Amino acid sequence: SCQAVSTASLDKDEKNASVSGSAEADEEAKVGAKVKVKVPLKVYHVVRVPELDLIGMEGVIKQYVGIWKGKPISANLPYKVEFLKEIEGRGPVKFFVHLKEEELEFLD
Amino acid sequence: MTLQASFFNFGSISSLPCPPRTFRQRFVIRAKVEPSEKSVEIMRKFSEQYARRSGTYFCMDKGVTSVVIKGLAEHKDTLGAPLCPCRHYDDKAAEAGQGFWNCPCVPMRER
């Protein structure tokens, strides 16, 4: 019975590792997905744009920063999304915003 | 480096057969690494410059500001990057390498 218990715990550990590994793979698979911001969200880092509300804007996920060289990272805004906004007098301006899943709506 | 030394006494009280009651004195030394003055100065200037450029202000309680800047300096010394001292990390080296929480952190920069 001791042997059975130890084998069972080993299986459980392997299962946990594979579950977390596949969850990370799922997140990485979302890179390239088109998304839309579904909450009012103001950002202040766009060059020469003091304040910008992103609600309704569409972008593309460029990177998932919750994993780095196989190690989990505590970033709470793990989706790095690329946006392209037409600014008067400047043309299309490309910028990146870090977002969390609750702020995004995935577009098919 | 500051050393904090403390000692404690305890007497053994047991119903098991053991040597007679003895008092033991034990010194516990906890070493707290202080950041280098150079790093503190670098992070102080960095923080002032960032506040100036971003139009933000230090906390009214300058004691808080001081602790935060020292924390940034300590991380810069130990990890090579000023990781936000306000958070807990499971793997500081990985976090510093990835950069999300390197000062100025993403949430502060963007939002």
Side-chain angles (χ1 to χ4, degrees):
Chain A
S1 66
C2 291
Q3 218 172 10
V5 166
S6 64
T7 311
S9 66
L10 189 63
D11 284 343
K12 187 185 163 193
D13 285 342
E14 282 175 358
K15 193 181 169 193
N16 283 344
S18 67
V19 164
S20 63
S22 65
E24 287 149 10
D26 285 343
E27 301 296 351
E28 304 264 281
K30 289 175 184 169
V31 172
K34 285 188 184 168
V35 293
K36 185 173 172 178
V37 178
K38 65 178 183 183
V39 297
L41 178 64
K42 289 186 181 171
V43 291
Y44 303 89
H45 68 297
V46 181
V47 181
R48 288 190 293 277
V49 180
E51 187 179 306
L52 179 62
D53 195 338
L54 299 174
I55 186 168
M57 280 183 65
E58 293 180 16
V60 176
I61 295 180
K62 278 294 183 182
Q63 196 184 359
Y64 177 74
V65 302
I67 285 283
W68 183 78
K69 294 188 178 178
K71 297 173 189 174
I73 296 294
S74 64
N76 51 8
L77 309 169
Y79 296 100
K80 188 173 175 182
V81 181
E82 183 186 66
F83 293 95
L84 205 62
K85 180 156 178 82
E86 195 72 37
I87 305 276
E88 278 181 36
R90 283 170 61 187
V93 173
K94 186 166 80 175
F95 59 94
F96 293 91
V97 182
H98 289 77
L99 298 165
K100 54 189 173 186
E101 195 162 358
E102 294 78 18
E103 296 165 337
L104 295 173
E105 185 188 324
F106 285 87
L107 307 171
D108 291 323
Chain B
M1 190 190 289
T2 59
L3 295 177
Q4 296 170 347
S6 65
F7 68 92
F8 62 93
N9 299 337
F10 72 92
S12 60
I13 301 167
S14 170
S15 59
L16 296 170
C18 62
R21 254 192 203 194
T22 55
F23 283 108
R24 288 187 202 172
Q25 290 184 349
R26 195 182 283 176
F27 276 92
V28 175
I29 298 173
R30 287 184 207 95
K32 188 175 180 232
V33 180
E34 288 283 329
S36 68
E37 276 188 36
K38 187 182 168 192
S39 291
V40 172
E41 189 55 22
I42 289 170
M43 293 318 302
R44 184 185 66 79
K45 288 202 168 137
F46 165 85
S47 303
E48 286 175 351
Q49 184 188 58
Y50 185 82
R52 211 170 27 244
R53 287 193 179 173
S54 61
T56 52
Y57 302 90
F58 286 171
C59 178
M60 278 174 55
D61 181 350
K62 297 295 180 261
V64 170
T65 310
S66 168
V67 167
V68 172
I69 290 176
K70 278 191 178 174
L72 288 170
E74 193 189 319
H75 279 159
K76 186 164 163 58
D77 282 344
T78 55
L79 303 166
L83 207 58
C84 178
C86 315
R87 295 183 64 87
H88 167 77
Y89 310 96
D90 288 335
D91 185 343
K92 284 189 175 182
E95 299 276 356
Q98 194 280 327
F100 186 95
W101 290 114
N102 285 356
C103 187
C105 63
V106 166
M108 183 64 183
R109 270 184 267 154
E110 296 185 2
R111 306 188 184 205

PDB file of all heavy atoms in Angstrom, chain A residues 7-36:
ATOM      1  N   THR A   7       3.192   6.099  -5.589  1.00  0.00           N
ATOM      2  CA  THR A   7       2.982   6.174  -7.044  1.00  0.00           C
ATOM      3  C   THR A   7       1.874   7.168  -7.356  1.00  0.00           C
ATOM      4  O   THR A   7       1.960   7.958  -8.270  1.00  0.00           O
ATOM      5  CB  THR A   7       2.589   4.788  -7.608  1.00  0.00           C
ATOM      6  OG1 THR A   7       3.516   3.834  -7.118  1.00  0.00           O
ATOM      7  CG2 THR A   7       2.599   4.797  -9.107  1.00  0.00           C
ATOM      8  N   ALA A   8       0.804   7.098  -6.496  1.00  0.00           N
ATOM      9  CA  ALA A   8      -0.336   7.988  -6.726  1.00  0.00           C
ATOM     10  C   ALA A   8       0.096   9.447  -6.595  1.00  0.00           C
ATOM     11  O   ALA A   8      -0.306  10.291  -7.376  1.00  0.00           O
ATOM     12  CB  ALA A   8      -1.445   7.677  -5.726  1.00  0.00           C
ATOM     13  N   SER A   9       0.925   9.736  -5.561  1.00  0.00           N
ATOM     14  CA  SER A   9       1.336  11.128  -5.364  1.00  0.00           C
ATOM     15  C   SER A   9       2.216  11.589  -6.515  1.00  0.00           C
ATOM     16  O   SER A   9       2.166  12.720  -6.944  1.00  0.00           O
ATOM     17  CB  SER A   9       2.055  11.291  -4.024  1.00  0.00           C
ATOM     18  OG  SER A   9       3.272  10.583  -4.051  1.00  0.00           O
ATOM     19  N   LEU A  10       3.036  10.662  -7.025  1.00  0.00           N
ATOM     20  CA  LEU A  10       3.903  11.016  -8.154  1.00  0.00           C
ATOM     21  C   LEU A  10       3.051  11.342  -9.373  1.00  0.00           C
ATOM     22  O   LEU A  10       3.288  12.324 -10.063  1.00  0.00           O
ATOM     23  CB  LEU A  10       4.837   9.822  -8.455  1.00  0.00           C
ATOM     24  CG  LEU A  10       5.957  10.081  -9.449  1.00  0.00           C
ATOM     25  CD1 LEU A  10       6.907  11.133  -8.918  1.00  0.00           C
ATOM     26  CD2 LEU A  10       6.735   8.800  -9.728  1.00  0.00           C
ATOM     27  N   ASP A  11       2.015  10.500  -9.587  1.00  0.00           N
ATOM     28  CA  ASP A  11       1.128  10.747 -10.728  1.00  0.00           C
ATOM     29  C   ASP A  11       0.480  12.110 -10.591  1.00  0.00           C
ATOM     30  O   ASP A  11       0.350  12.842 -11.554  1.00  0.00           O
ATOM     31  CB  ASP A  11       0.030   9.674 -10.779  1.00  0.00           C
ATOM     32  CG  ASP A  11       0.586   8.355 -11.304  1.00  0.00           C
ATOM     33  OD1 ASP A  11       1.684   8.390 -11.897  1.00  0.00           O
ATOM     34  OD2 ASP A  11      -0.053   7.311 -11.114  1.00  0.00           O
ATOM     35  N   LYS A  12       0.066  12.445  -9.332  1.00  0.00           N
ATOM     36  CA  LYS A  12      -0.625  13.715  -9.101  1.00  0.00           C
ATOM     37  C   LYS A  12       0.318  14.873  -9.412  1.00  0.00           C
ATOM     38  O   LYS A  12      -0.074  15.847 -10.047  1.00  0.00           O
ATOM     39  CB  LYS A  12      -1.072  13.770  -7.644  1.00  0.00           C
ATOM     40  CG  LYS A  12      -1.938  14.961  -7.303  1.00  0.00           C
ATOM     41  CD  LYS A  12      -2.227  14.971  -5.805  1.00  0.00           C
ATOM     42  CE  LYS A  12      -2.730  16.363  -5.403  1.00  0.00           C
ATOM     43  NZ  LYS A  12      -2.737  16.527  -3.973  1.00  0.00           N
ATOM     44  N   ASP A  13       1.597  14.736  -8.989  1.00  0.00           N
ATOM     45  CA  ASP A  13       2.556  15.813  -9.265  1.00  0.00           C
ATOM     46  C   ASP A  13       2.755  15.983 -10.756  1.00  0.00           C
ATOM     47  O   ASP A  13       2.787  17.097 -11.265  1.00  0.00           O
ATOM     48  CB  ASP A  13       3.910  15.489  -8.609  1.00  0.00           C
ATOM     49  CG  ASP A  13       3.871  15.691  -7.101  1.00  0.00           C
ATOM     50  OD1 ASP A  13       2.953  16.378  -6.630  1.00  0.00           O
ATOM     51  OD2 ASP A  13       4.750  15.148  -6.412  1.00  0.00           O
ATOM     52  N   GLU A  14       2.883  14.869 -11.437  1.00  0.00           N
ATOM     53  CA  GLU A  14       3.070  14.935 -12.893  1.00  0.00           C
ATOM     54  C   GLU A  14       1.857  15.580 -13.536  1.00  0.00           C
ATOM     55  O   GLU A  14       1.975  16.391 -14.439  1.00  0.00           O
ATOM     56  CB  GLU A  14       3.254  13.515 -13.464  1.00  0.00           C
ATOM     57  CG  GLU A  14       4.658  12.976 -13.231  1.00  0.00           C
ATOM     58  CD  GLU A  14       4.816  11.534 -13.680  1.00  0.00           C
ATOM     59  OE1 GLU A  14       3.839  10.924 -14.147  1.00  0.00           O
ATOM     60  OE2 GLU A  14       5.930  11.013 -13.547  1.00  0.00           O
ATOM     61  N   LYS A  15       0.672  15.234 -13.018  1.00  0.00           N
ATOM     62  CA  LYS A  15      -0.559  15.772 -13.590  1.00  0.00           C
ATOM     63  C   LYS A  15      -0.596  17.292 -13.361  1.00  0.00           C
ATOM     64  O   LYS A  15      -0.915  18.048 -14.250  1.00  0.00           O
ATOM     65  CB  LYS A  15      -1.762  15.107 -12.919  1.00  0.00           C
ATOM     66  CG  LYS A  15      -3.082  15.357 -13.642  1.00  0.00           C
ATOM     67  CD  LYS A  15      -4.240  14.704 -12.913  1.00  0.00           C
ATOM     68  CE  LYS A  15      -5.561  15.209 -13.497  1.00  0.00           C
ATOM     69  NZ  LYS A  15      -6.698  14.862 -12.673  1.00  0.00           N
ATOM     70  N   ASN A  16      -0.224  17.721 -12.126  1.00  0.00           N
ATOM     71  CA  ASN A  16      -0.206  19.150 -11.828  1.00  0.00           C
ATOM     72  C   ASN A  16       0.752  19.872 -12.755  1.00  0.00           C
ATOM     73  O   ASN A  16       0.448  20.940 -13.268  1.00  0.00           O
ATOM     74  CB  ASN A  16       0.213  19.402 -10.366  1.00  0.00           C
ATOM     75  CG  ASN A  16      -0.916  19.127  -9.403  1.00  0.00           C
ATOM     76  OD1 ASN A  16      -2.067  19.042  -9.824  1.00  0.00           O
ATOM     77  ND2 ASN A  16      -0.601  18.980  -8.141  1.00  0.00           N
ATOM     78  N   ALA A  17       1.932  19.288 -12.935  1.00  0.00           N
ATOM     79  CA  ALA A  17       2.938  19.915 -13.803  1.00  0.00           C
ATOM     80  C   ALA A  17       2.397  20.021 -15.221  1.00  0.00           C
ATOM     81  O   ALA A  17       2.544  21.044 -15.874  1.00  0.00           O
ATOM     82  CB  ALA A  17       4.226  19.097 -13.770  1.00  0.00           C
ATOM     83  N   SER A  18       1.741  18.949 -15.671  1.00  0.00           N
ATOM     84  CA  SER A  18       1.251  18.989 -17.053  1.00  0.00           C
ATOM     85  C   SER A  18       0.092  19.968 -17.163  1.00  0.00           C
ATOM     86  O   SER A  18      -0.048  20.641 -18.170  1.00  0.00           O
ATOM     87  CB  SER A  18       0.837  17.589 -17.502  1.00  0.00           C
ATOM     88  OG  SER A  18      -0.293  17.168 -16.782  1.00  0.00           O
ATOM     89  N   VAL A  19      -0.739  20.087 -16.109  1.00  0.00           N
ATOM     90  CA  VAL A  19      -1.865  21.034 -16.148  1.00  0.00           C
ATOM     91  C   VAL A  19      -1.329  22.456 -16.207  1.00  0.00           C
ATOM     92  O   VAL A  19      -1.744  23.255 -17.034  1.00  0.00           O
ATOM     93  CB  VAL A  19      -2.782  20.847 -14.909  1.00  0.00           C
ATOM     94  CG1 VAL A  19      -3.688  22.047 -14.730  1.00  0.00           C
ATOM     95  CG2 VAL A  19      -3.597  19.577 -15.038  1.00  0.00           C
ATOM     96  N   SER A  20      -0.362  22.797 -15.319  1.00  0.00           N
ATOM     97  CA  SER A  20       0.165  24.157 -15.316  1.00  0.00           C
ATOM     98  C   SER A  20       0.920  24.412 -16.616  1.00  0.00           C
ATOM     99  O   SER A  20       0.871  25.495 -17.167  1.00  0.00           O
ATOM    100  CB  SER A  20       1.060  24.382 -14.102  1.00  0.00           C
ATOM    101  OG  SER A  20       2.171  23.533 -14.152  1.00  0.00           O
ATOM    102  N   GLY A  21       1.630  23.388 -17.103  1.00  0.00           N
ATOM    103  CA  GLY A  21       2.362  23.546 -18.360  1.00  0.00           C
ATOM    104  C   GLY A  21       1.417  23.821 -19.505  1.00  0.00           C
ATOM    105  O   GLY A  21       1.669  24.696 -20.332  1.00  0.00           O
ATOM    106  N   SER A  22       0.288  23.127 -19.529  1.00  0.00           N
ATOM    107  CA  SER A  22      -0.647  23.320 -20.635  1.00  0.00           C
ATOM    108  C   SER A  22      -1.355  24.667 -20.486  1.00  0.00           C
ATOM    109  O   SER A  22      -1.679  25.297 -21.489  1.00  0.00           O
ATOM    110  CB  SER A  22      -1.654  22.177 -20.696  1.00  0.00           C
ATOM    111  OG  SER A  22      -2.462  22.181 -19.546  1.00  0.00           O
ATOM    112  N   ALA A  23      -1.590  25.135 -19.264  1.00  0.00           N
ATOM    113  CA  ALA A  23      -2.215  26.450 -19.057  1.00  0.00           C
ATOM    114  C   ALA A  23      -1.310  27.532 -19.615  1.00  0.00           C
ATOM    115  O   ALA A  23      -1.765  28.474 -20.275  1.00  0.00           O
ATOM    116  CB  ALA A  23      -2.479  26.698 -17.570  1.00  0.00           C
ATOM    117  N   GLU A  24      -0.003  27.375 -19.355  1.00  0.00           N
ATOM    118  CA  GLU A  24       0.949  28.350 -19.885  1.00  0.00           C
ATOM    119  C   GLU A  24       0.971  28.295 -21.406  1.00  0.00           C
ATOM    120  O   GLU A  24       1.032  29.325 -22.068  1.00  0.00           O
ATOM    121  CB  GLU A  24       2.353  28.055 -19.341  1.00  0.00           C
ATOM    122  CG  GLU A  24       2.502  28.436 -17.882  1.00  0.00           C
ATOM    123  CD  GLU A  24       3.484  27.536 -17.134  1.00  0.00           C
ATOM    124  OE1 GLU A  24       4.192  26.745 -17.795  1.00  0.00           O
ATOM    125  OE2 GLU A  24       3.523  27.634 -15.905  1.00  0.00           O
ATOM    126  N   ALA A  25       0.899  27.082 -21.937  1.00  0.00           N
ATOM    127  CA  ALA A  25       0.896  26.921 -23.399  1.00  0.00           C
ATOM    128  C   ALA A  25      -0.347  27.579 -23.991  1.00  0.00           C
ATOM    129  O   ALA A  25      -0.282  28.179 -25.064  1.00  0.00           O
ATOM    130  CB  ALA A  25       0.945  25.439 -23.755  1.00  0.00           C
ATOM    131  N   ASP A  26      -1.496  27.470 -23.272  1.00  0.00           N
ATOM    132  CA  ASP A  26      -2.732  28.114 -23.745  1.00  0.00           C
ATOM    133  C   ASP A  26      -2.546  29.618 -23.853  1.00  0.00           C
ATOM    134  O   ASP A  26      -2.978  30.247 -24.818  1.00  0.00           O
ATOM    135  CB  ASP A  26      -3.892  27.847 -22.756  1.00  0.00           C
ATOM    136  CG  ASP A  26      -4.400  26.419 -22.872  1.00  0.00           C
ATOM    137  OD1 ASP A  26      -4.092  25.775 -23.903  1.00  0.00           O
ATOM    138  OD2 ASP A  26      -5.084  25.951 -21.949  1.00  0.00           O
ATOM    139  N   GLU A  27      -1.914  30.188 -22.828  1.00  0.00           N
ATOM    140  CA  GLU A  27      -1.707  31.642 -22.834  1.00  0.00           C
ATOM    141  C   GLU A  27      -0.798  32.045 -23.979  1.00  0.00           C
ATOM    142  O   GLU A  27      -1.035  33.039 -24.665  1.00  0.00           O
ATOM    143  CB  GLU A  27      -1.080  32.100 -21.504  1.00  0.00           C
ATOM    144  CG  GLU A  27      -1.905  31.767 -20.263  1.00  0.00           C
ATOM    145  CD  GLU A  27      -3.236  32.487 -20.233  1.00  0.00           C
ATOM    146  OE1 GLU A  27      -3.474  33.372 -21.079  1.00  0.00           O
ATOM    147  OE2 GLU A  27      -4.053  32.165 -19.364  1.00  0.00           O
ATOM    148  N   GLU A  28       0.260  31.280 -24.179  1.00  0.00           N
ATOM    149  CA  GLU A  28       1.194  31.588 -25.275  1.00  0.00           C
ATOM    150  C   GLU A  28       0.494  31.461 -26.622  1.00  0.00           C
ATOM    151  O   GLU A  28       0.806  32.192 -27.563  1.00  0.00           O
ATOM    152  CB  GLU A  28       2.387  30.619 -25.230  1.00  0.00           C
ATOM    153  CG  GLU A  28       3.115  30.621 -23.894  1.00  0.00           C
ATOM    154  CD  GLU A  28       4.331  31.536 -23.861  1.00  0.00           C
ATOM    155  OE1 GLU A  28       5.372  31.122 -24.391  1.00  0.00           O
ATOM    156  OE2 GLU A  28       4.224  32.640 -23.320  1.00  0.00           O
ATOM    157  N   ALA A  29      -0.467  30.533 -26.692  1.00  0.00           N
ATOM    158  CA  ALA A  29      -1.189  30.316 -27.956  1.00  0.00           C
ATOM    159  C   ALA A  29      -2.055  31.513 -28.315  1.00  0.00           C
ATOM    160  O   ALA A  29      -2.413  31.703 -29.478  1.00  0.00           O
ATOM    161  CB  ALA A  29      -2.049  29.061 -27.856  1.00  0.00           C
ATOM    162  N   LYS A  30      -2.383  32.345 -27.307  1.00  0.00           N
ATOM    163  CA  LYS A  30      -3.229  33.508 -27.583  1.00  0.00           C
ATOM    164  C   LYS A  30      -2.460  34.621 -28.279  1.00  0.00           C
ATOM    165  O   LYS A  30      -3.068  35.581 -28.765  1.00  0.00           O
ATOM    166  CB  LYS A  30      -3.820  34.045 -26.272  1.00  0.00           C
ATOM    167  CG  LYS A  30      -4.886  33.138 -25.680  1.00  0.00           C
ATOM    168  CD  LYS A  30      -5.362  33.649 -24.333  1.00  0.00           C
ATOM    169  CE  LYS A  30      -6.351  32.652 -23.723  1.00  0.00           C
ATOM    170  NZ  LYS A  30      -6.656  32.960 -22.323  1.00  0.00           N
ATOM    171  N   VAL A  31      -1.154  34.520 -28.306  1.00  0.00           N
ATOM    172  CA  VAL A  31      -0.355  35.543 -29.004  1.00  0.00           C
ATOM    173  C   VAL A  31      -0.763  35.546 -30.465  1.00  0.00           C
ATOM    174  O   VAL A  31      -0.874  34.499 -31.099  1.00  0.00           O
ATOM    175  CB  VAL A  31       1.157  35.238 -28.860  1.00  0.00           C
ATOM    176  CG1 VAL A  31       1.983  36.174 -29.730  1.00  0.00           C
ATOM    177  CG2 VAL A  31       1.590  35.351 -27.406  1.00  0.00           C
ATOM    178  N   GLY A  32      -1.029  36.734 -30.972  1.00  0.00           N
ATOM    179  CA  GLY A  32      -1.478  36.864 -32.359  1.00  0.00           C
ATOM    180  C   GLY A  32      -2.982  37.029 -32.465  1.00  0.00           C
ATOM    181  O   GLY A  32      -3.495  37.384 -33.531  1.00  0.00           O
ATOM    182  N   ALA A  33      -3.696  36.819 -31.339  1.00  0.00           N
ATOM    183  CA  ALA A  33      -5.161  36.932 -31.373  1.00  0.00           C
ATOM    184  C   ALA A  33      -5.576  38.403 -31.427  1.00  0.00           C
ATOM    185  O   ALA A  33      -4.944  39.259 -30.820  1.00  0.00           O
ATOM    186  CB  ALA A  33      -5.758  36.272 -30.148  1.00  0.00           C
ATOM    187  N   LYS A  34      -6.683  38.644 -32.129  1.00  0.00           N
ATOM    188  CA  LYS A  34      -7.226  40.008 -32.182  1.00  0.00           C
ATOM    189  C   LYS A  34      -8.124  40.201 -30.965  1.00  0.00           C
ATOM    190  O   LYS A  34      -8.934  39.319 -30.639  1.00  0.00           O
ATOM    191  CB  LYS A  34      -8.029  40.208 -33.460  1.00  0.00           C
ATOM    192  CG  LYS A  34      -7.165  40.376 -34.694  1.00  0.00           C
ATOM    193  CD  LYS A  34      -7.983  40.761 -35.905  1.00  0.00           C
ATOM    194  CE  LYS A  34      -7.092  40.824 -37.134  1.00  0.00           C
ATOM    195  NZ  LYS A  34      -7.835  40.910 -38.373  1.00  0.00           N
ATOM    196  N   VAL A  35      -7.971  41.342 -30.324  1.00  0.00           N
ATOM    197  CA  VAL A  35      -8.747  41.607 -29.110  1.00  0.00           C
ATOM    198  C   VAL A  35      -9.324  43.014 -29.156  1.00  0.00           C
ATOM    199  O   VAL A  35      -8.883  43.873 -29.937  1.00  0.00           O
ATOM    200  CB  VAL A  35      -7.878  41.459 -27.840  1.00  0.00           C
ATOM    201  CG1 VAL A  35      -7.445  40.021 -27.632  1.00  0.00           C
ATOM    202  CG2 VAL A  35      -6.663  42.378 -27.900  1.00  0.00           C
ATOM    203  N   LYS A  36     -10.310  43.221 -28.260  1.00  0.00           N
ATOM    204  CA  LYS A  36     -10.932  44.538 -28.165  1.00  0.00           C
ATOM    205  C   LYS A  36     -11.009  44.877 -26.682  1.00  0.00           C
ATOM    206  O   LYS A  36     -11.334  44.013 -25.847  1.00  0.00           O
ATOM    207  CB  LYS A  36     -12.332  44.452 -28.762  1.00  0.00           C
ATOM    208  CG  LYS A  36     -13.073  45.746 -28.848  1.00  0.00           C
ATOM    209  CD  LYS A  36     -14.373  45.501 -29.619  1.00  0.00           C
ATOM    210  CE  LYS A  36     -15.279  46.688 -29.591  1.00  0.00           C
ATOM    211  NZ  LYS A  36     -16.499  46.468 -30.356  1.00  0.00           N
TER     212      LYS A  36
END
